[in-house]
Amino acid sequence: MGLSKTDPQVYKLIKEEEKRQREVLEMIPSENYASHAVMEALGTVLTNKYSEGYPKKRYYQGNRVIDEIEQLAIDRAKKLFGVPYVNVQALSGSPANTAVYFALLTPLKDKIMGLSMASGGHLTHGLALNISGRFYKSSLYELGKDGQLDYAAIEKQAVREKPKIIICGYTAFPRIIDFKKFGQIADKVGAFLMADISHITGLVVAGAHPSPVPYAHIITTTTHKTLRGPRGALIMVTEKGFKKDPDLGRKIDSAIIPGLQGGPHDNQTAAIAVALKEASAPAFKKYGHQIVKNSKALAKALIKYGFDLLSGGSDNHLILIDLQNKKANGAVAAFALEVANIVVNKNLVLNDPMPSFYPSGIRLGTPAITTRGMKEKEMTKIAGWYSQVIDKVKNEQLPQEKEARVEFMKSFRQKAAKNKKLLQIAHEVKALTQKFPV
Ligand SMILES: *Cc1c(COP(=O)(O)O)cnc(C)c1O
């Protein structure tokens, strides 16, 4: 029986979410619209199977078909990225990174070195509250004052701290990463270089961002951001990685199972295989390059409206706006934008004087709206809406005390939800999204 009959409550909620995704400008840079084919693979009988182990080496019977599916995903990923080893079983990006640490590091002894979250790194890159910062020693590096990577400072820190793994690849960084430089730094101190390209994988396979393959030992990535697949992750080892440690693949396999996980999600593996096929088609190259063109066009237009962008612009898929010069707060702005049907996330800015729940900035990106077919012309229009919305909420000063802030946000939300100007923009946004069906 269909979902609408078995569970009308869940069915209705899914339909509501579908409508929301259709009617808004989805501009959270880690989100995208997976294809119908990817979603079709997810909703299949593959979800019924247990297949602990790896192709041809399973602990359960009945895995002939699953073996073929997993091998197909592995082979497609190897070919697309040009690497000799891939593990497709990590359930998402965070477990993938955790598995790499588990494979290579001795807890409480070995050190990792990643970018701090305040500078745009990920939780799993050594944050004290994350397993990566609690089980392992962690030395975090920061961006330079100009919002760029300071390679000389990173090298100095690596020489001093002697990390076993250096991590590059970020969550909120709008510029090109010089993987070659990172490779040299890692080699100099004898560290593994792990490139976590979760955010930029789609750009890397499209040739719109340089690839880390020649320089990194290990590459991890989610499959659901710019790659446009299902939620999931890939862990890859490069030729360079095998030269440093011929046993690296086996160590990672065994860190995933029995180290960290049980059975893989086979429906997810199949959907990853589908996404990898889509990403190897010529149309995907065009898509990747258009993401960057759109991001650059949007950045340029935002600057014209007086917005202050981290590092002064963007050359990937993502933009960070520091709203301090506009006298606006990130949490307030993100809510007002949502009323206007534009969905972004609030984000810390460099040396943010505010706490992470009420940060001074917002983070936005072009992957999802580019999937809908929007181009530079639409970006100019969108920048205008940002300007109008932020104009509406500037001088909405957050109180200093915590409790007062909660009250303030509550009454602000009620007020903003009825604001005529914001609702007018919401209407215009909806009209635009109708021209670019999902
Ligand atoms: C999104 C992201 C991850 C992890 O993703 P989840 O799938 O949410 O666990 C890891 N690293 C980076 C750099 C990311 O941006």
Side-chain angles (χ1 to χ4, degrees):
M1 210 195 311
L3 181 61
S4 62
K5 294 260 162 46
T6 329
D7 193 336
Q9 214 176 348
V10 168
Y11 178 81
K12 183 169 160 281
L13 290 170
I14 293 173
K15 286 292 154 192
E16 276 175 36
E17 172 62 9
E18 200 178 296
K19 180 169 181 289
R20 187 195 68 81
Q21 291 189 14
R22 204 168 51 231
E23 290 181 350
V24 302
L25 287 172
E26 202 62 78
M27 295 187 74
I28 293 172
S30 49
E31 293 186 4
N32 214 330
Y33 298 101
S35 72
H36 201 82
V38 163
M39 289 193 285
E40 195 179 325
L42 278 176
T44 59
V45 294
L46 299 176
T47 197
N48 298 336
K49 189 67 194 111
Y50 244 109
S51 40
E52 287 184 5
Y54 289 99
K56 305 254 167 75
K57 288 173 284 188
R58 305 284 186 188
Y59 292 90
Y60 290 76
Q61 294 312 118
N63 274 304
R64 185 186 62 77
V65 174
I66 302 299
D67 278 1
E68 281 192 48
I69 288 170
E70 186 170 338
Q71 196 57 53
L72 192 60
I74 291 169
D75 292 341
R76 283 180 180 173
K78 279 186 187 172
K79 184 150 178 250
L80 186 62
F81 289 90
V83 293
Y85 161 96
V86 183
N87 184 304
V88 300
Q89 291 194 8
L91 299 178
S92 208
S94 300
N97 289 350
T98 306
V100 173
Y101 308 145
F102 195 63
L104 292 179
L105 303 176
T106 306
L108 306 177
K109 178 172 166 279
D110 290 330
K111 193 180 282 178
I112 62 173
M113 186 174 137
L115 187 68
S116 82
M117 258 184 88
S119 274
H122 192 255
L123 305 167
T124 55
H125 295 180
L127 178 77
L129 289 170
N130 185 263
I131 189 168
S132 58
R134 273 189 74 175
F135 278 40
Y136 308 105
K137 288 187 178 162
S138 153
S139 170
L140 299 166
Y141 58 95
E142 304 290 344
L143 291 181
K145 279 195 205 70
D146 55 359
Q148 302 275 6
L149 287 161
D150 182 345
Y151 294 95
I154 292 166
E155 179 168 343
K156 236 168 114 182
Q157 188 173 338
V159 169
R160 188 180 70 233
E161 299 285 338
K162 301 197 175 24
K164 191 153 181 199
I165 302 177
I166 296 174
I167 304 150
C168 61
Y170 314 105
T171 293
F173 181 65
R175 295 300 189 174
I176 300 284
I177 302 162
D178 190 341
F179 292 121
K180 188 172 179 188
K181 273 228 177 85
F182 268 107
Q184 288 163 349
I185 295 170
D187 293 345
K188 183 171 175 183
V189 302
F192 285 98
L193 179 63
M194 172 173 131
D196 175 355
I197 57 169
S198 290
H199 258 260
I200 54 171
T201 333
L203 307 187
V204 168
V205 303
H209 188 292
S211 166
V213 169
Y215 312 110
H217 302 94
I218 299 157
I219 300 167
T220 60
T221 179
T222 51
T223 47
H224 47 276
K225 297 181 183 173
T226 49
L227 193 64
R228 219 160 54 178
R231 307 200 86 79
L234 308 173
I235 307 173
M236 301 177 252
V237 177
T238 61
E239 300 282 0
K240 184 177 170 180
F242 279 119
K243 262 193 212 128
K244 185 168 168 64
D245 181 354
D247 207 21
L248 210 42
R250 191 200 55 80
K251 283 179 183 166
I252 287 168
D253 280 350
S254 103
I256 288 283
I257 172 170
L260 200 62
Q261 297 182 177
H265 295 183
D266 299 317
N267 56 327
Q268 200 176 335
T269 307
I272 288 173
V274 174
L276 290 166
K277 181 171 185 205
E278 291 175 352
S280 57
F284 198 88
K285 274 207 170 55
K286 263 178 91 175
Y287 168 60
H289 285 279
Q290 191 62 46
I291 291 176
V292 176
K293 282 190 212 162
N294 284 350
S295 188
K296 285 186 172 176
L298 182 58
K300 205 169 136 195
L302 288 168
I303 290 167
K304 273 203 187 135
Y305 284 109
F307 283 106
D308 179 11
L309 310 193
L310 178 80
S311 82
S314 167
D315 32 48
N316 56 18
H317 63 301
L318 171 156
I319 293 167
L320 261 171
I321 305 181
D322 184 338
L323 293 164
Q324 291 178 96
N325 71 331
K326 294 274 189 186
K327 307 259 177 298
N329 174 268
V332 170
F335 185 82
L337 283 162
E338 187 177 354
V339 174
N341 276 349
I342 300 173
V343 182
V344 301
N345 65 274
K346 59 189 175 187
N347 213 94
L348 286 170
V349 299
L350 216 50
N351 303 313
D352 204 321
M354 297 294 289
S356 59
F357 207 72
Y358 300 98
S360 303
I362 50 174
R363 186 184 70 148
L364 46 130
T366 54
I369 56 175
T370 306
T371 293
R372 298 183 79 148
M374 294 186 193
K375 296 226 164 79
E376 289 93 326
K377 191 171 132 226
E378 284 73 40
M379 300 306 123
T380 318
K381 193 162 181 176
I382 291 168
W385 285 326
Y386 275 86
S387 175
Q388 292 173 38
V389 171
I390 304 306
D391 248 9
K392 266 271 135 273
V393 299
K394 67 180 179 203
N395 303 321
E396 290 282 355
Q397 288 303 326
L398 276 169
Q400 285 298 318
E401 313 77 52
K402 236 174 151 179
E403 320 261 287
R405 269 183 197 153
V406 175
E407 277 311 305
F408 171 88
M409 280 306 290
K410 213 168 121 191
S411 75
F412 170 74
R413 276 194 212 105
Q414 284 167 358
K415 199 171 62 176
K418 287 182 289 202
N419 184 286
K420 284 222 172 68
K421 178 72 190 167
L422 295 180
L423 293 173
Q424 169 59 29
I425 298 171
H427 193 71
E428 292 168 25
V429 169
K430 200 169 141 187
L432 178 73
T433 59
Q434 275 162 358
K435 284 196 240 161
F436 297 88
V438 176

